[in-house]
Amino acid sequence: MLTGPLLIGVFLLAIAILLVSIIKFRLNAFIALLITSLVTSILVGMPIGDIASTISGGFGSTLSGIGIVTGLGVMLGKFMFECGAIETISNAILNKFGEKNSPAAIAISGFLTGIPVFGDVVYIMFAPMLRVLSKKTNISMVTFACAISVATTCTYSLVIPTPAPLVVSESLGIDVGIFFVYAILTAFVATITGGILYGKFLDKQDKKNGHFYTFEDIEEIEDELEATKETRPMPSFMKSLSILLVPIMLILLGSFVPLALGDNNSVVPLVKFLGDKNVAMLIGVIYAALISKPYITRSISDIMNDAADQIGLILLITGAGGAFGKVLQATGIADYIAGSLSQFSIPILLLCFLISQIIRCAQGSTTVALMTTASILSGTIAASSVSPILCAIAICAGGIGLSLPNDSGFWAISRFFKISVQDTIRGWTVGGFIAGLSALAFISILSLFQNVLPGLL
């Protein structure tokens, strides 16, 4: 196989093939990743008999770690959406904050609902309400778009059970419960800076420049929202929140109880079993189905089947990303890139962030960027003195910002909130980048105390 700088050339060519496949030829990301994996293997001179097994091995090992929990996570989010739990949570937070502080309320709502629900679903659900709020409060629509999109992407990039951070945690072999605690704190800090504070700046800027949207169709939206409020039975706030908290609390107990009691305590095996991410999410889905039953108009089976239809492509893309990462490892590309960058004495946390951010910016997918970066740097992280949990968070932080028009999420935000491309860049691309940088700054501070903070070493 090739060695030295030629490996870098093959890697850059592989990224170019991936970009052209997705952007120019609009190939499905699953097919594009498989083609890129195959071409990369051939170009570096991998033995022909090893190519298929390496790709399938990477695909299988990735899904064995996250396949079940990803599928269950989509089902959990589907139940929250169908029974009205997401709407209940967002309305309660909005009422608590008031209209003046509604962007902050929307950001927190997006932060919570973005954990079990994928971004496009959150945007679809919130868009009508946000356009009505913008009209009523005279707060810029770009501010609301920034608040919800940055918040949901922070949780998507950083907080399990979403696929991207799960893949990173599996690749680096870290405890998902401890990772969850530090990741959700980091995501919250990033949401405040990139979603709320920067959103306020956008509102002041738009007021100063007289830049507002007219909302010609707003009356129809208002009528639909009022009709929904009057006719639809909704779960209480605590019931709604409990659907989200049950699996999370089980996972946290499974991680922290053994730390507190020690592995020899008789209770620990049971707690570890219930706190296993797959078991906890299964219990969470069963609980969600029982709580949702009085409030849904369709059968539990139909909702699960709909969720299963969405899961398929997500798992295929995730598995193919794992296959590409395995090829990078098996061919020596990952080790060479990590070694080359290490010569520049770049701090490991910054290195994790930079590689993830560059790949994210280049090809548009947060999931692909995080998976690829974790594969490239896994060996370097293991050999470093910095907590692998903080390195994992730095990788995830790099996947938040600099979303460009090669990202499908960019167009989803523009389309659902009916804002211009320029405003999407102002609110989402820049807001996400600020969120990512603030996440990196926060974990850099945490690294100074990693010897005393629980679970980091």
Side-chain angles (χ1 to χ4, degrees):
M1 289 193 287
L2 300 179
T3 58
L6 289 175
L7 288 175
I8 296 291
V10 171
F11 174 70
L12 294 175
L13 181 59
I15 295 297
I17 292 170
L18 185 61
L19 287 175
V20 171
S21 300
I22 294 174
I23 300 169
K24 176 68 175 176
F25 296 105
R26 301 189 181 277
L27 275 184
N28 180 275
F30 167 63
I31 299 297
L33 281 163
L34 288 181
I35 291 173
T36 305
S37 301
L38 183 63
V39 172
T40 304
S41 303
I42 293 171
L43 289 177
V44 298
M46 179 183 285
I48 198 75
D50 295 341
I51 293 176
S53 60
T54 301
I55 292 174
S56 60
F59 186 95
S61 62
T62 299
L63 292 189
S64 69
I66 69 156
I68 294 174
V69 72
T70 298
L72 293 171
V74 174
M75 286 188 180
L76 183 75
K78 190 71 172 174
F79 276 114
M80 290 188 72
F81 178 74
E82 291 277 343
C83 75
I86 292 175
E87 189 174 345
T88 296
I89 291 171
S90 61
N91 286 339
I93 294 173
L94 188 60
N95 291 335
K96 184 73 174 177
F97 277 70
E99 289 187 354
K100 182 180 178 182
N101 297 313
S102 52
I106 291 302
I108 293 174
S109 299
F111 183 86
L112 290 174
T113 56
I115 295 173
V117 182
F118 290 97
D120 285 6
V121 176
V122 178
Y123 303 151
I124 291 169
M125 183 197 71
F126 275 85
M129 178 175 67
L130 296 188
R131 301 185 77 231
V132 171
L133 272 174
S134 182
K135 179 189 175 188
K136 288 171 62 177
T137 61
N138 202 36
I139 294 173
S140 170
M141 187 62 211
V142 185
T143 295
F144 283 116
C146 173
I148 192 72
S149 61
V150 169
T152 53
T153 305
C154 283
T155 50
Y156 176 81
S157 298
L158 284 159
V159 183
I160 61 170
T162 56
L166 275 170
V167 172
V168 174
S169 65
E170 283 291 323
S171 297
L172 302 184
I174 58 179
D175 185 289
V176 292
I178 296 171
F179 174 60
F180 172 87
V181 171
Y182 290 105
I184 200 168
L185 284 173
T186 305
F188 190 67
V189 170
T191 296
I192 291 173
T193 54
I196 298 176
L197 297 180
Y198 176 66
K200 285 186 176 181
F201 168 76
L202 288 175
D203 185 51
K204 291 179 181 178
Q205 193 177 54
D206 284 351
K207 282 186 169 65
K208 180 180 178 181
N209 298 328
H211 177 58
F212 291 99
Y213 288 87
T214 56
F215 305 118
E216 293 88 351
D217 59 340
I218 207 73
E219 289 80 10
E220 182 180 345
I221 294 174
E222 288 175 320
D223 292 342
E224 288 177 0
L225 287 175
E226 288 302 319
T228 301
K229 286 180 183 178
E230 292 173 4
T231 60
R232 183 180 182 182
M234 306 281 275
S236 67
F237 175 76
M238 289 309 299
K239 278 185 178 180
S240 301
L241 193 60
S242 69
I243 298 174
L244 183 63
L245 291 180
V246 163
I248 290 174
M249 292 306 299
L250 287 173
I251 291 172
L252 292 179
L253 287 172
S255 297
F256 284 95
V257 167
L259 287 178
L261 300 181
D263 288 334
N264 295 326
N265 191 288
S266 59
V267 178
V268 168
L270 176 61
V271 174
K272 279 187 173 181
F273 170 74
L274 295 175
D276 176 85
K277 60 182 183 292
N278 296 321
V279 175
M281 286 302 298
L282 178 60
I283 293 171
V285 168
I286 295 170
Y287 178 79
L290 295 174
I291 292 294
S292 300
K293 194 171 182 180
Y295 309 102
I296 55 179
T297 57
R298 300 192 297 154
S299 70
I300 289 173
S301 178
D302 285 344
I303 292 173
M304 286 183 171
N305 288 338
D306 278 359
D309 290 341
Q310 298 176 16
I311 293 164
L313 185 58
I314 293 167
L315 292 181
L316 286 176
I317 294 172
T318 303
F324 182 44
K326 185 70 172 180
V327 166
L328 292 176
Q329 288 180 324
T331 55
I333 291 175
D335 290 338
Y336 185 79
I337 290 173
S340 299
L341 288 172
S342 298
Q343 295 176 6
F344 295 101
S345 300
I346 301 174
I348 185 64
L349 292 177
L350 179 59
L351 185 63
C352 291
F353 178 84
L354 283 177
I355 293 179
S356 179
Q357 183 76 105
I358 290 168
I359 297 175
R360 163 79 164 100
C361 184
Q363 52 78 49
S365 169
T366 295
T367 304
V368 173
L370 269 54
M371 291 189 297
T372 304
T373 306
S375 298
I376 291 172
L377 292 178
S378 58
T380 304
I381 290 169
S384 75
S385 60
V386 178
S387 168
I389 288 175
L390 296 182
C391 291
I393 297 173
I395 291 172
C396 295
I400 297 173
L402 286 186
S403 169
L404 300 175
N406 60 344
D407 176 14
S408 61
F410 181 97
W411 297 108
I413 292 164
S414 178
R415 181 172 69 252
F416 293 136
F417 298 126
K418 298 185 179 181
I419 59 176
S420 68
V421 169
Q422 182 181 358
D423 283 338
T424 306
I425 291 172
R426 290 172 61 229
W428 162 224
T429 304
V430 177
F433 183 58
I434 292 171
L437 288 177
S438 62
L440 176 63
F442 180 69
I443 58 172
S444 297
I445 294 171
L446 290 182
S447 70
L448 300 176
F449 306 97
Q450 66 176 21
N451 292 323
V452 295
L453 290 171
L456 289 184
L457 288 179

